[in-house]
Coordinates of all heavy atoms in Angstrom, one line a residue:
S128 N -32.0 -18.4 4.0 CA -31.0 -17.8 3.0 C -29.6 -18.0 3.5 O -29.3 -18.3 4.6 CB -31.3 -16.3 2.7 OG -31.1 -15.6 4.0
S129 N -28.6 -17.7 2.6 CA -27.2 -17.8 3.0 C -26.9 -16.7 4.0 O -26.0 -16.9 4.8 CB -26.4 -17.6 1.7 OG -26.7 -16.4 1.1
I130 N -27.6 -15.6 3.9 CA -27.4 -14.5 4.9 C -27.7 -15.0 6.2 O -27.0 -14.8 7.3 CB -28.2 -13.3 4.5 CG1 -27.7 -12.7 3.2 CG2 -28.1 -12.2 5.6 CD1 -26.2 -12.2 3.2
N131 N -28.9 -15.7 6.4 CA -29.3 -16.2 7.6 C -28.3 -17.3 8.2 O -28.1 -17.3 9.4 CB -30.7 -16.9 7.4 CG -31.2 -17.4 8.8 OD1 -31.5 -16.6 9.7 ND2 -31.4 -18.7 8.9
W132 N -27.8 -18.1 7.3 CA -26.8 -19.1 7.7 C -25.6 -18.4 8.3 O -25.1 -18.8 9.3 CB -26.4 -19.9 6.5 CG -25.4 -21.0 6.9 CD1 -25.6 -22.3 7.3 CD2 -23.9 -20.9 6.8 NE1 -24.4 -22.9 7.6 CE2 -23.4 -22.0 7.3 CE3 -23.1 -19.8 6.4 CZ2 -22.0 -22.2 7.3 CZ3 -21.8 -20.0 6.4 CH2 -21.2 -21.2 6.9
L133 N -25.1 -17.3 7.6 CA -23.9 -16.6 8.1 C -24.2 -15.9 9.4 O -23.3 -16.1 10.3 CB -23.5 -15.6 7.0 CG -22.3 -14.7 7.5 CD1 -21.1 -15.5 7.6 CD2 -22.1 -13.6 6.4
L134 N -25.3 -15.3 9.6 CA -25.6 -14.6 10.8 C -25.9 -15.5 12.0 O -25.9 -15.0 13.2 CB -26.7 -13.6 10.6 CG -26.5 -12.5 9.6 CD1 -27.7 -11.6 9.4 CD2 -25.3 -11.6 10.0
T135 N -26.2 -16.8 11.8 CA -26.5 -17.6 12.9 C -25.3 -18.4 13.4 O -25.4 -19.3 14.2 CB -27.7 -18.6 12.5 OG1 -27.3 -19.2 11.3 CG2 -29.0 -17.8 12.4
R136 N -24.1 -18.2 12.7 CA -22.9 -18.9 13.2 C -22.6 -18.4 14.6 O -22.8 -17.3 14.9 CB -21.7 -18.6 12.2 CG -21.9 -19.1 10.8 CD -22.2 -20.6 10.6 NE -23.6 -20.8 10.7 CZ -24.3 -22.0 10.9 NH1 -23.5 -23.0 11.1 NH2 -25.6 -22.1 10.9
R137 N -22.0 -19.3 15.4 CA -21.7 -19.0 16.8 C -20.9 -17.7 17.0 O -21.2 -16.9 17.8 CB -21.1 -20.1 17.5 CG -22.0 -21.4 17.6 CD -21.3 -22.5 18.4 NE -21.0 -22.0 19.8 CZ -20.3 -22.8 20.8 NH1 -20.0 -24.0 20.4 NH2 -20.2 -22.3 21.9
V138 N -19.9 -17.6 16.1 CA -19.0 -16.4 16.2 C -19.8 -15.1 15.9 O -19.6 -14.0 16.6 CB -17.7 -16.5 15.4 CG1 -18.1 -16.5 13.9 CG2 -16.8 -15.4 15.7
M139 N -20.7 -15.1 15.0 CA -21.5 -14.0 14.6 C -22.5 -13.6 15.7 O -22.7 -12.5 16.1 CB -22.2 -14.2 13.3 CG -21.3 -14.4 12.1 SD -20.2 -13.0 11.8 CE -21.4 -11.8 11.2
V140 N -23.1 -14.7 16.4 CA -24.0 -14.5 17.4 C -23.3 -13.9 18.7 O -23.8 -13.0 19.3 CB -24.7 -15.8 17.8 CG1 -25.6 -15.6 19.1 CG2 -25.6 -16.3 16.7
W141 N -22.1 -14.4 18.9 CA -21.3 -13.9 20.0 C -20.9 -12.4 19.8 O -21.0 -11.6 20.7 CB -20.0 -14.8 20.0 CG -19.0 -14.3 21.1 CD1 -19.1 -14.3 22.5 CD2 -17.7 -13.7 20.8 NE1 -18.0 -13.8 23.0 CE2 -17.1 -13.4 22.0 CE3 -17.0 -13.5 19.6 CZ2 -15.8 -12.9 22.1 CZ3 -15.7 -12.9 19.7 CH2 -15.2 -12.6 21.0
L142 N -20.5 -12.1 18.6 CA -20.2 -10.7 18.3 C -21.4 -9.8 18.4 O -21.4 -8.7 18.9 CB -19.6 -10.5 16.9 CG -18.2 -11.0 16.7 CD1 -17.8 -10.9 15.3 CD2 -17.2 -10.1 17.5
G143 N -22.6 -10.4 18.0 CA -23.9 -9.6 18.2 C -24.2 -9.4 19.6 O -24.6 -8.2 20.0
M144 N -23.9 -10.3 20.5 CA -24.1 -10.1 22.0 C -23.2 -9.1 22.5 O -23.5 -8.3 23.5 CB -23.9 -11.4 22.7 CG -25.0 -12.5 22.5 SD -24.9 -13.9 23.6 CE -23.3 -14.5 23.3
L145 N -22.0 -8.9 21.9 CA -21.0 -8.0 22.4 C -21.1 -6.6 21.8 O -20.4 -5.7 22.1 CB -19.6 -8.5 22.1 CG -19.2 -9.8 22.8 CD1 -17.7 -10.1 22.5 CD2 -19.4 -9.8 24.3
S146 N -22.0 -6.5 20.8 CA -22.0 -5.3 19.8 C -22.1 -4.0 20.7 O -21.4 -3.0 20.4 CB -23.1 -5.4 18.9 OG -24.4 -5.5 19.5

Side-chain angles (χ1 to χ4, degrees):
S128 66
S129 58
I130 296 295
N131 181 67
W132 179 89
L133 175 64
L134 294 180
T135 54
R136 299 305 89 194
R137 290 186 63 181
V138 65
M139 298 298 290
V140 173
W141 174 68
L142 286 174
M144 290 190 301
L145 301 185
S146 60

